[in-house]
Amino acid sequence: MTETLAPLSAAVRPVFDTVVARNAHEPEFHQAVHEVLASIVPVLEEHPTFVEAGIVERLVEPERQIIFRVPWTDDNGDLHVNRGMRVQFSSVLGPYKGGLRFHPSVNLSIIKFLGFEQIFKNALTGQGIGGGKGGSDFDPHGRSDAEVMRFCQAFMDELYRHLGEHTDVPAGDIGVGAREVGYLFGQYRKITNRHESGMFTGKGVQWGGAEVRTEATGYGAVFFAEEMLGTAGRDIAGMRMGVSGSGNVAIYAIAKAHQLGAIPVTASDSTGYVVDDHGIDVDLLRQVKEVDRARISAYAAARPSARFVEGARPWEVPVDIAVPSATQNELDEDDARALIAGGVRAVSEGANMPCTPAAVSAFQKAGVLFGPGKAANAGGVATSALEMSQNAARQRWSFGDSEARLREIMQNVHAAAYSAAERYGSPGDYVVGANCAGFERVAHAMLAQGVI
Ligand code: NDP
């Protein structure tokens, strides 16, 4: 991220300066903190007790950060050493909750930005879950199942002592899907000699997982787009949708778009994107990415209506709705301008912080409805909390019932962000609204629980 961050109000600038000084060389973490601080000044003005109690100063410092060695051997018997980490950011609303990411780019800055975002996202859902995030610089691409299993076991050999259904409950994220969750949960069960269902979410539905958890983030991001468009009197049906990524979030955003009558025309991975004017075929995409674990070009090779564009991002394709669902800072100001020129009406962030600050600003200035990830992709963690409830009660809810709850949660998240934006003087600004609504809930809880 090379963009310069805009100056902050004097009310929060000293906190930001301390964050930058104390966490040097962590640009993604600075970016995430900056966005929240820039939004919450009106909340601090209305609640002087938050300032007196040092809520913001405490919130930007994680409660705990764990960094550990992960040694494992590959199929040739060669030794590898990766770095594992878990940042337990805030437990004021509930056990730490947030995914694990396995990707070579993972470092403390990325895990801290994700953990910080997670606090406010989880608060916005209205559920009893705190914020945390973890992962490793391990790259599962090109590794055999046996290698992935050994890595996951070595990772859990250390992390297990920091987890538990009342302590810290991870889930998946980039590079951590159904396969990895199974190996991680299995090793925790072996080490602790406990089948503690509620210590991990995103489990297989046959062994404690919840219906709709797999689909929830992508479905939720499309529901959020639908809600935003609804406030503007528009219907999602018939709209062209651009999606980036081809993983868990992207696949189910594409699936839900079809179900609602929209036309999802793109998908991508780190090698390029495919465009398919007939609408992306979900079954083929799942076959390519989840079964064959192949590159996205294989989709175009198998589908006459599609073409593959190597080394580019999908934002050059004109669409009505964009759902960036790959990774942070994957959509910059130039991409935003291309989308605006192509007539985009709404952007719903499936990924965490995929749009750079300049891109967000360009969308908002152009009157494009913009749903930030901490609201738009909250359906994943919200459904994880439903999984925890089912595990605690030893129940299983049906797919239909779970999807209805997800839809209601996304409507509530939208309403909370929308009304907070109005209340704090920025009507229609979902960034301000999501940050203020999430922050308010966390701050009240911190105030009540004392200086700890
Ligand atoms: P997956 O690992 O299932 O898929 C990630 C996709 O993004 C892949 O297509 C991958 O391509 C692509 N990608 C990853 N890194 C890059 C990069 N640096 N450049 C270009 N493409 C990239 O992850 P998820 O779908 O689970 O997560 C996607 C995003 O959604 C992340 O930001 C995550 O934090 C966020 N999110 C996920 C939730 C969930 O429930 N899974 C919940 C809330 C947010 P390739 O295979 O080539 O690397």
Side-chain angles (χ1 to χ4, degrees):
M1 230 284 299
T2 50
E3 287 171 10
T4 314
L5 299 171
L8 285 166
S9 142
V12 291
R13 201 182 312 133
V15 178
F16 186 67
D17 291 345
T18 303
V19 166
V20 172
R22 190 178 270 167
N23 305 276
H25 314 299
E26 296 187 2
E28 293 87 0
F29 180 47
H30 303 167
Q31 185 184 338
V33 171
H34 184 278
E35 186 208 274
V36 171
L37 294 184
S39 297
I40 61 168
V41 173
V43 185
L44 297 176
E45 284 168 356
E46 192 174 302
H47 297 280
T49 49
F50 292 171
V51 179
E52 288 153 20
I55 298 292
V56 183
E57 286 84 345
R58 285 191 275 144
L59 206 44
V60 296
E61 186 65 22
E63 289 177 11
R64 190 173 299 104
Q65 305 181 53
I66 301 143
I67 302 181
F68 54 96
R69 177 172 67 199
V70 190
W72 59 283
T73 47
D74 66 22
D75 289 344
N76 298 321
D78 292 333
L79 174 76
H80 299 263
V81 179
N82 284 97
R83 175 172 286 184
M85 52 190 84
R86 183 79 179 162
V87 175
Q88 299 180 330
F89 231 114
S90 171
S91 58
V92 74
L93 294 179
Y96 308 108
K97 185 84 197 84
L100 296 173
R101 176 177 292 191
F102 292 169
H103 192 273
S105 65
V106 163
N107 58 34
L108 200 52
S109 174
I110 289 175
I111 297 301
K112 273 156 79 175
F113 116 64
L114 290 163
F116 188 70
E117 291 268 301
Q118 199 82 48
I119 304 171
F120 307 100
K121 178 190 309 190
N122 295 2
L124 261 181
T125 68
Q127 293 157 315
I129 40 179
K133 199 82 186 188
S136 173
D137 55 2
F138 170 72
D139 186 359
H141 284 111
R143 291 289 172 194
S144 69
D145 286 352
E147 289 174 326
V148 170
M149 181 177 75
R150 284 196 296 276
F151 174 81
C152 289
Q153 291 173 342
F155 185 85
M156 192 52 85
D157 281 346
E158 173 57 32
L159 190 62
Y160 84 95
R161 69 188 84 242
H162 306 288
L163 304 181
E165 63 178 315
H166 301 298
T167 309
D168 187 345
V169 184
D173 190 81
I174 291 176
V176 179
R179 174 182 61 171
E180 290 77 13
V181 172
Y183 294 148
L184 290 161
F185 181 81
Q187 187 70 354
Y188 181 89
R189 181 173 59 76
K190 177 177 166 125
I191 297 170
T192 60
N193 194 29
R194 281 200 306 271
H195 192 114
E196 189 186 331
S197 290
M199 62 67 58
F200 215 109
T201 61
K203 301 180 295 294
V205 288
Q206 299 305 324
W207 45 276
E211 296 286 0
V212 187
R213 174 60 190 93
T214 305
E215 296 84 355
T217 308
Y219 277 20
V222 176
F223 287 148
F224 198 86
E226 189 186 28
E227 287 297 312
M228 289 195 298
L229 288 161
T231 61
R234 292 185 188 280
D235 188 348
I236 199 168
M239 288 196 169
R240 277 166 60 95
M241 183 183 291
V243 176
S244 62
S246 49
N248 173 262
V249 179
I251 286 172
Y252 292 101
I254 289 167
K256 181 50 68 182
H258 279 298
Q259 290 168 17
L260 296 180
I263 310 149
V265 290
T266 64
S268 72
D269 66 13
S270 52
T271 63
Y273 74 88
V274 291
V275 56
D276 184 346
D277 286 325
H278 290 190
I280 297 284
D281 180 324
V282 180
D283 292 337
L284 176 58
L285 187 63
R286 290 192 64 188
Q287 176 69 37
V288 168
K289 298 305 291 191
E290 293 185 340
V291 181
D292 303 340
R293 296 188 186 274
R295 307 316 294 169
I296 195 76
S297 53
Y299 175 94
R303 178 108 163 143
S305 57
R307 72 191 157 85
F308 172 60
V309 184
E310 190 175 357
R313 304 197 275 207
W315 313 125
E316 59 200 26
V317 177
V319 290
D320 304 296
I321 307 167
V323 185
S325 305
T327 194
Q328 65 277 354
N329 294 324
E330 54 154 315
L331 193 164
D332 64 17
E333 188 176 4
D334 290 343
D335 298 319
R337 296 210 178 289
L339 282 165
I340 292 164
V344 73
R345 297 182 188 284
V347 178
S348 185
E349 290 189 323
N352 285 309
M353 210 167 75
C355 300
T356 66
V360 176
S361 165
F363 286 133
Q364 291 183 325
K365 279 186 190 138
V368 174
L369 296 161
F370 179 79
K374 63 169 73 73
N377 71 36
V381 75
T383 309
S384 276
L386 301 183
E387 183 171 332
M388 291 162 72
S389 300
Q390 290 167 77
N391 291 154
R394 302 213 181 280
Q395 289 180 348
R396 270 186 73 177
W397 304 342
S398 70
F399 193 97
D401 187 23
S402 306
E403 189 181 349
R405 288 177 196 246
L406 168 65
R407 194 165 197 157
E408 191 184 334
I409 288 169
M410 294 314 295
Q411 287 166 344
N412 292 340
V413 167
H414 175 272
Y418 188 85
S419 67
E422 288 211 317
R423 200 154 22 95
Y424 287 110
S426 301
D429 187 333
Y430 290 98
V431 177
V432 167
N435 285 328
C436 289
F439 173 73
E440 256 187 325
R441 183 168 175 228
V442 172
H444 280 299
M446 288 178 74
L447 199 60
Q449 293 179 29
V451 178
I452 45 173

